[in-house]
Amino acid sequence: MSSLAFYREQADLQMIAADAASLPRVRDRCLRAVSAWTELADRAQKTEDARKEKFGT
């Protein structure tokens, strides 16, 4: 599994956990985790795009 796929999967799992959370602080923690994983995925996507542009692979 690529880093990008892993990061996106983690973001999805945290969103599911946030939706299921009954406690506000737990929901907030999960949403912060979604944001962090999404940011990592975005960075990985930019790196992958730059690599493809530079090396054509």
Side-chain angles (χ1 to χ4, degrees), residues 1-18 26-46:
M1 173 183 286
S2 72
S3 295
L4 176 58
F6 176 77
Y7 297 151
R8 295 214 188 278
E9 182 179 325
Q10 294 304 307
D12 291 343
L13 291 173
Q14 288 299 315
M15 183 56 76
I16 292 168
V26 173
R27 178 174 169 71
D28 290 345
R29 184 191 69 216
C30 292
L31 292 174
R32 286 192 306 274
V34 169
S35 179
W37 285 115
T38 301
E39 185 176 330
L40 287 169
D42 291 346
R43 288 182 190 177
Q45 183 68 60
K46 287 179 186 179

